Each structure stands twice: as C-alpha cells, then as structure tokens.
Amino acid sequence: MKAAASIQERYDRLLRIALPIVVLALGLLLWEAIVWINKIPPYVLPGPRLILRTLIDDWELLSQSLVVTLATTVEGFLLAAFGGVGLAVLFNQSRLLEYSLYPYAVILQVTPIVAIAPLLLIYLPQPLAVLACAWIVAFFPVLANTTLGLHSVDRNLADLFTLYGASRRQLLWYLKLPSALPYIIGGLRIAGGLSLIGAVVAEIAAGSAGAGSGLAYRIAESGYRLNIPRMFAALLLLSVAGIAIFYALSLLNYLALRRWHESALERGA
Amino acid sequence: MAPATALQTSPSLLALHGVGKTFPNGTQALANLNFNVRRGEFLSLLGPSGCGKSTVLRIIAGLTAPSHGSVEWPDPSTHAGKSNRIGFVFQDPTLMPWASVFNNVALPLVLKGVAAASIARRVTAALDRVGLGKFAQAFPRELSGGMRMRVSIARALVTEPELLLMDEPFAALDEITRFKLNNDLLQVWQATGTTVVFVTHSVFESVYLSSRILVMSARPGRIFTELAIDAPYPRDNNFGTSAEYAAFCRRTSAALAQAMAGETVAGDNAAGDKP
C-alpha cells in the first residue's frame, strides 16, 4: 500500500515538472513553425531560434542591462523591506504617528506608478528616480502586511507577557515581531515582484541611453529601432529575473517558517 | 506533605474582599466575592460556563482590574514581586509556535533578565519535573496536546511561583491524558509545595485534585458554597475508585446542581421582567 502510494506520489511529482516543459516545447515548435511557414519577417515576429541567437550575440549588452535592472530592483526591495517593516513598527508603537502618516502611505500606493515616474524624473537624478519608483510600489505591501501581523498577536500570549512584566521592547522583540513574521514574509514576496515592476516602469519613463541603462530601456530602445528579436530577448531576461526573485523569496519563506508555521510545513509532517 | 486537614487552617496567601466585575458592555460577571486562598492549598473554583471563574483568575493575576472590592496579599514581600510569584496556565497551552520547548519554558526568566546559565539549569529542571527532559529542542507543532500542556505547566513552574493559577487547563484533552496529567499535577504540587487555584467545570476532576472547592453560580458569578475535600494526600487511582471519592463527588454534584438551579430561577425572573 505504502510503496504504491509513494510511486504514485513520485509519478505525480514527475508530471508536475514534465508537463509544463512539454507544453513549452510544443508552444515553441508551433511558434517556429508558424513563423517559418508564413515566412513572417523578423521585424514583425521573430522565431524562438532567432531570439535565442540574439540573446547569445547581444549577451554583453543585455547582461550589463540585466545587472543594472537587478541592482535597482534589489536596492528598491531592500529599502521597501526595511522601510515597510520599520514604519509598521513605528505605527504600532505610536498611534498618533499611524493616524498622521498612514493615509499618505495609502495615497502613494493607489496613485499609479506610471503617472508618478515622469514627475520623479524631473526632480531626482535618473538612477535615484528609478530607485524611488521601485521603492514606492514595493513598500506598501510590506507596510500593510506587517501592520496586520503586529496586530495578530495571540491574546493569551500577550497576557502572559503582561503577567511577567515584559517591557515594550521585549513585547515587540519576543512576541509581536515573531508573530508578524509570516505576514512580513508574505508582504516581502509581493514586494519582490513589485519592485521589479517599479524599476521597469521608471526605466521606460526615463528612456535615456548610456552604459547605465537597464533592460526595460533596452526594450524601449529596440522597439524604436524595430529590433524585435532583441525586445524579446530582453523580455525573456526580465521574466527570468522575476522568476528568480520569486523563488529566492519562497526559499526565504521556507527557511524562516519551516519548523513552525502551517504555510511552510509539509503535509503529513 | 501536610495532611489535607492542615491545609484547611494554613495562613492566608491572599484574600478577595467584595470583588465584583462589570464589563464595559454592562454584563455583570462577578458580584461580591469574598474568599481566602490559603498557603499551600489546592483550591478549585467549580461552576458552569459563564459563571466568571476565569475572570476571578485574571483578577487574582492582575490581568483584569476588579470593578469593586480588592485583592489583598497579607505578606507584603509577596505583593512586591507579584509577577514573579504567580504562574498562569491557560486553557490552551498558549505556546510560542516559533520557539523551541526550551525557549518557551525559558520565556519568564528571559523577560526577567536572568543569566543564561541559570536559565539553562532552571528550564532543564522544570522540563524534567513534567517529564519532558528529552524534548527541549522540539517545537510545539511536533508535540501532542498533552505534551504541549506539560510544556505550559513547566513554563508556569520555572519561576518557582508561590501561586499557580490554572484556567481549565485539561478541558481540551482526552480523558486518558487528563487522568495522567491530574496525577502528575498532584505530584508536582506536593513536590513544590506551591499553592494552586484551579478552575474547572468537572466535578470529578475538582474532587480528585482539591483540598477545597468553591462552587460558583452564574449571572452574576458568585460563590454559592464551599466544600472541604479532607481526604489525605497523596491521592492516586485508589482514591479515584474509592467509596469516599464517590461520596465527595455526590455531595459536590448536589451542590453544583443547587447552584445551577438557583441560577435558573434567577434566569426565569429576568425573562419575566421583559413583557
């Protein structure tokens, strides 16, 4: 019985990996075939092989841009993480501060970043403006989730801390922050993807050339030049960067919560 | 261990004088409670749900302020370091899921700023006392319900409290586990000589454990009557199957039934007030 179940399980896991790959291969084949049969010119729709070729040929340029975009994304993300958690903790300690500032955090969040980016570019040097955009979109989910987490403390545990005369600092450090950790990490996982989006939006809005230009700028520039294969190649890199960020944060989630939180526990464990 | 009769006359650890509690929504939870907790006794508060038993514990612990009356600790040294002298066990184990068993039990000492070496020694001793010496590095998720409750008890014991407050600690456990924990609790109580105030709605549990039972009635919560269970300690399963035990249970059941009957009459009157 047990052996059969484990074979079934392994088969299931294999399918989970194999099926998306098969779908991808079929899709690429179909794409290539359509381009080839209809003789579609590359400036309308390049085939996957040409895109791969371009990725390799332009690797030097594209990899530089990838590093720029990734650096902006990571910096924006880190600022959002520390800013979001820090602000949430401050709000939690001071109700007046929360009342004073929270509405503006919401306004910053609901105003579309595409509309803010051109303004920021007027007042800030370009790299800083891009960073600010990445930060603005990424920090709100961290703030909102951390605030929720800090309020989700077990009442009895809070009583216990009161009974043993815990100070505010001890309450925060030993009870509120650990209670909030799953929420904080949930916020970080959203923020990771959003900071990439923020960086891309700002780069496209900035649209300036040079050694310091990121992947999104490469896409815009290639569009103007009708270099469609390079657009696809840059898009592919952006998408890979997004996937890498997602999995890095999933790993963080697993490492931080695996021993105690339902979300990270394996079933049956 | 002192015979149960000696516990009936030992000096008072704390006294409730005319304690009442009305919640902000107007519910009167407790009315005019007067009783002593004697040093070293095992006192149970027995009553139906909603009679304010848990509120009494919270008031004694200082977690809730009484609306009327006061809680007095005759020995001033006890009162000064009160938070050090009280251990509280909730109905749920109330453990920190992110911390190991060791760190959960160490919490009261960590909050007090006790030195690490001393913490290690005292936590190990407390875990050994509840039979969990081998589980120090386990996480609460990995333990059964009974073991989690033992961790909770070890945490309450680690400060060596003079007073252990327990709020229906075993209500959510299966009967076999509950019997085992009842016996273990009695052993711990006798070994440490601490005073226990134990809230329960089980007649059998209260008779088995207690040297004295306060039967409460509800709406508003008040002391209906007091019963001395003057069977000698140590008590074990022999006591639990004895005719003496059955007689105590019968008497306690009757008192509880009367307390609840009085409440029903009061309830009818209240209903009759409404047209």
Side-chain angles (χ1 to χ4, degrees):
Chain A
M1 276 303 271
K2 204 158 191 187
S6 118
I7 288 170
Q8 175 70 36
E9 225 166 73
R10 210 174 303 167
Y11 179 68
D12 201 60
R13 204 178 307 160
L14 192 70
L15 279 184
R16 270 167 165 275
I17 299 169
L19 281 180
I21 293 177
V22 170
V23 169
L24 177 70
L26 284 178
L28 290 177
L29 264 179
L30 188 68
W31 181 356
E32 188 74 47
I34 290 172
V35 169
W36 185 72
I37 291 167
N38 297 315
K39 300 198 169 46
I40 301 175
Y43 58 81
V44 176
L45 180 67
R49 275 195 315 163
L50 180 59
I51 293 169
L52 190 64
R53 177 91 254 150
T54 312
L55 186 62
I56 296 166
D57 288 347
D58 295 351
W59 178 248
E60 201 176 324
L61 183 76
L62 288 175
S63 63
Q64 276 175 10
S65 299
L66 175 65
V67 168
V68 170
T69 302
L70 270 186
T72 313
T73 304
V74 170
E75 283 166 23
F77 172 76
L78 288 179
L79 284 177
F82 285 104
V85 173
L87 208 55
V89 167
L90 281 180
F91 284 0
N92 192 263
Q93 300 294 303
S94 160
R95 201 169 283 268
L96 290 181
L97 203 63
E98 178 172 4
Y99 291 166
S100 313
L101 293 184
Y102 198 79
Y104 300 102
V106 174
I107 290 172
L108 216 54
Q109 159 71 11
V110 297
T111 311
I113 190 66
V114 189
I116 304 176
L119 268 179
L120 285 177
L121 282 157
I122 295 174
Y123 301 111
L124 295 174
Q126 193 212 320
L128 209 57
V130 176
L131 186 60
C133 281
W135 177 77
I136 286 174
V137 287
F139 111 101
F140 189 78
V142 182
L143 172 68
N145 269 29
T146 308
T147 303
L148 178 65
L150 291 174
H151 286 126
S152 306
V153 166
D154 182 302
R155 296 272 167 248
N156 283 337
L157 269 177
D159 279 344
L160 198 74
F161 274 69
T162 309
L163 184 70
Y164 289 118
S167 66
R168 281 169 78 94
R169 204 170 46 83
Q170 284 175 325
L171 195 65
L172 180 69
W173 188 250
Y174 290 112
L175 181 60
K176 286 185 172 177
L177 280 177
S179 299
L181 192 60
Y183 297 85
I184 295 175
I185 292 180
L188 292 182
R189 288 173 77 167
I190 302 169
L194 284 180
S195 56
L196 182 62
I197 292 176
V200 164
V201 165
E203 279 179 12
I204 288 183
S208 72
S213 45
L215 275 178
Y217 171 70
R218 290 290 163 223
I219 290 178
E221 181 206 32
S222 307
Y224 297 138
R225 297 182 180 184
L226 285 183
N227 190 346
I228 312 299
R230 192 190 280 173
M231 283 180 88
F232 273 101
L235 182 62
L236 180 64
L237 281 183
L238 270 182
S239 159
V240 169
I243 293 168
I245 291 170
F246 175 82
Y247 277 105
L249 291 170
S250 297
L251 182 69
L252 172 74
N253 181 66
Y254 172 74
L255 290 178
L257 305 182
R258 75 197 140 127
R259 290 213 65 181
W260 63 275
H261 199 256
E262 283 82 353
S263 67
L265 286 169
E266 284 176 25
R267 260 188 296 170
Chain B
M1 190 64 215
T5 41
L7 293 172
Q8 317 292 351
T9 55
S10 67
S12 170
L13 178 67
L14 68 98
L16 276 71
H17 297 298
V19 165
K21 178 72 189 175
T22 307
F23 287 116
N25 65 9
T27 310
Q28 193 183 11
L30 297 172
N32 196 26
L33 256 60
N34 293 289
F35 66 89
N36 284 348
V37 177
R38 297 182 196 127
R39 211 170 266 283
E41 77 173 333
F42 198 121
L43 174 68
S44 282
L45 299 177
L46 174 68
S49 346
C51 74
K53 301 174 297 232
S54 302
T55 310
V56 177
L57 281 199
R58 293 179 57 86
I59 288 175
I60 293 175
L63 292 171
T64 302
S67 317
H68 311 282
S70 62
V71 180
E72 273 167 34
W73 298 68
D75 178 358
S77 73
T78 302
H79 191 57
K82 197 172 76 181
S83 67
N84 223 358
R85 313 309 324 166
I86 294 181
F88 204 118
V89 178
F90 296 91
Q91 183 167 358
D92 302 315
T94 314
L95 303 175
M96 301 180 288
W98 56 83
S100 66
V101 164
F102 182 94
N103 286 332
N104 265 292
V105 175
L107 178 74
L109 303 176
V110 170
L111 293 178
K112 291 262 165 292
V114 175
S118 169
I119 289 181
R121 189 171 42 75
R122 290 167 70 176
V123 170
T124 308
L127 282 175
D128 284 341
R129 179 150 269 159
V130 297
L132 285 181
K134 289 189 183 127
F135 292 90
Q137 295 315 315
F139 277 69
R141 284 281 313 191
E142 299 157 6
L143 304 177
S144 67
M147 287 161 93
R148 279 182 226 167
M149 192 42 86
R150 285 170 191 274
V151 176
S152 189
I153 293 171
R155 180 181 58 195
L157 290 174
V158 78
T159 58
E160 292 165 20
E162 274 181 90
L163 177 62
L164 188 55
L165 303 173
M166 307 183 87
D167 187 2
E168 299 191 36
F170 308 142
L173 301 176
D174 64 87
E175 194 158 312
I176 297 168
T177 310
R178 193 160 67 219
F179 276 141
K180 179 94 179 69
L181 278 170
N182 279 341
N183 283 329
D184 292 355
L185 175 61
L186 280 181
Q187 262 175 24
V188 166
W189 171 63
Q190 289 180 281
T192 57
T194 186
T195 308
V196 179
V197 178
F198 190 94
V199 159
T200 180
H201 56 240
S202 161
V203 168
F204 306 102
E205 190 171 60
S206 63
V207 170
Y208 189 71
L209 294 172
S210 319
S211 54
R212 191 160 65 105
I213 299 175
L214 297 177
V215 179
M216 293 182 67
S217 56
R219 276 173 283 275
R222 58 206 183 276
I223 305 294
F224 180 75
T225 185
E226 176 183 332
L227 295 160
I229 309 298
D230 42 14
Y233 292 96
R235 296 175 187 170
D236 54 18
N237 294 332
N238 287 334
F239 173 64
T241 50
S242 68
E244 188 189 16
Y245 173 72
F248 276 125
C249 286
R250 200 156 42 240
R251 212 183 307 159
T252 309
S253 268
L256 184 61
Q258 275 176 17
M260 288 172 73
E263 173 204 325
T264 310
V265 172
D268 288 346
N269 286 345
D273 287 342
K274 289 175 193 150

